[in-house]
Amino acid sequence: MEPASTVGGCCTSGTLKAWVPVLSWLPRYNLRWLQMDLLAGLTVGLTTVPQALAYAEVAALPVQYGLYSAFMGGFIYTLLGTSKDVTLGPTAIMSLLCFSVVGGHPPRAVLLSLLCGLIQAVMAFLRLGFLLDFISFPVIKGFTCAAAVTIGFGQVKNILGLHGIPSQFFLEVYYTFLRIPEARVGDVILGLLCVFLLVLLVFMKTNLGPDHPLDSKYRKVSRKLVWTVATMRNALVVVAASLVAFSWDANGHHVFTLTGKTSQGLPPFRPPPTSDVTANGTLVSFGEIVKGYGGGLAVIPFMGLLESIAIAKAFASQNNYRIDANQELLAIGVTNIMGSFVSAYPVTGSFGRTAVNSQTGVCTPAGGIVTSAVVLLSLAFLMPAFYYIPKASLAAVIICAVAPMVDFHVVAKMWKIRRLDLLPFTVTFLMSFWQVQYGIIGGVATSGALLLYNVARPQIKVTDHGVLLMEPSSGLSFPATEHLSRIIHTQALQASPPRSVLLDCHHVSTMDYSVISELRDLLRQFKLREVELVFCRLQPSVLQVLLAADLPGLRCTDSLEATLQLMSENQG
């Protein structure tokens, strides 16, 4: 009879806990954890609602779609997530990517969520998380800086109360400045006031300083109050702006651009649409929609995974626990799949809301359930009140959220450490203003080209000890064959008289058939010129390859100094 801890002889309880991490911490759940999770979930929920409304604007979708996208992640991540801190939902970057691919069509955005989720889940099952390693840090930084500039400037038109501005970045900049004289005074004043208040609250929070044991009770309470107000700043500012707008509107003064009528109630649970209808009534089939996604169907899943896993790793390191990257892929994939059934667009981990979650003292992923409940209550009861939210206040929330992403200090660091890394950064940054996905693809291609160049042109240190000592700095594979051959021919075989070479291979861990074939020819050339090519300090795996090749005239030694002395005497 099989043990109780196995299912079908292959699925152990440990494996089940690995795939469903909630089973690991739920049996240990206690009252203290519940209190902290409730507090953190409520705090994050009050941050999520205004941000979700604002990010829907970035995606050019009706504001309710931001809330539709904000609640599924809390439930799914509680079951499948491995980080206690991460919160999944709409973010500025994913909203921008979604807009760049679907152009503000809700049915296509929802279908995109399903397809992205399927891609991410398949990657998780196939353990393909390592593919994210091919997106380098300069590419990520170039993209986030460009995205922050694009998103931030895209909200200037809402601060100014302008309509009909093109969405393409360069045209958007041109027409925004061109139409500044048409700006609505009410929107400008309210928007700038909201930005000022948000910046002031962030400044107050960052300058609170640490708690001190000798502080008075009044000082401790004051610090906690300031921290709470600053943490919930987005919700407080949006509520205040809405009350101002409502009071003016009730008195017949329509001086603000409002969010307007939104769909009330919870979204229906139904399969995502597989077709769309254009404004003139033309039916767009599933195949045409997928074809229209283009490269975005590859970029969005990768960027969603990259953003979420980077956040999870950062907070896991900060709070002394470990995450499972492939399990994180599964959690975000299932979230996007299930989200598509409630009209959500693609989501990922949010750095800002995750930071709030961590700082509030969340103990388990169950805090996400409370956050999701706050979003669902907003959908069920508060949608009529969202009519009066000024677009200028949502624009202020977005601008202040993305401003810290513009980190140009990294340019100075890359210039100081390795200037060549500025190339993929610059390519990504500039191309992202044309099309966001093209910027990422261009940056990855540039990084790949630099990586391949290093493989094809490994550094080979050459010193003269009577014979030439050549020391490759890395593995030798087929792209490096011509480079190695040219150096040996130029400095040894074509010298007058020809020189013997000792090839120190202690850094060489790989050697493929192309290199072996070239070495066979080189050994023949050395023999014709009556000089030697000797291999020294070979790693066992490389030595095994060379012996298997049965190269004529192959000589291998272990001692560098003794071999140099012997070869110098023979050369003399």
Side-chain angles (χ1 to χ4, degrees), residues 227-243:
W227 184 89
T228 303
V229 171
T231 299
M232 297 189 297
R233 60 188 177 275
N234 291 331
L236 295 176
V237 167
V238 169
V239 169
S242 301
L243 291 174

Side-chain angles (χ1 to χ4, degrees), residues 57 67 143 180 211 248 271 360 373 376 385 422 444 451 462 467 493:
E57 290 276 344
L67 295 178
F143 166 68
I180 283 179
D211 288 328
W248 280 80
T360 315
L376 289 172
L422 287 172
V444 170
L451 181 63
V462 180
V467 297
L493 294 176

Side-chain angles (χ1 to χ4, degrees), residues 432-456:
S432 293
F433 292 118
W434 173 31
Q435 282 285 343
V436 175
Q437 58 266 38
Y438 293 162
I440 298 168
I441 294 170
V444 170
T446 304
S447 293
L450 293 176
L451 181 63
L452 291 175
Y453 181 83
N454 290 331
V455 172

Side-chain angles (χ1 to χ4, degrees), residues 81-120:
T82 60
S83 168
K84 72 179 182 66
D85 301 299
V86 166
T87 62
L88 299 182
T91 66
I93 287 178
M94 290 302 287
S95 299
L96 176 65
L97 286 169
C98 183
F99 168 72
S100 70
V101 172
V102 304
H105 290 81
R108 301 184 193 188
V110 174
L111 180 59
L112 180 63
S113 178
L114 173 66
L115 297 178
C116 287
L118 289 172
I119 292 171
Q120 290 162 337

Side-chain angles (χ1 to χ4, degrees), residues 16 20 77 91 134 148 197 255 268 291 315 332 385 390 410 481 514 537:
L16 188 60
V20 189
Y77 197 82
T91 66
F134 288 93
L197 289 174
V255 296
K291 185 178 179 181
F315 282 89
I332 188 173
V410 74
T481 304
S514 297
R537 297 200 291 181

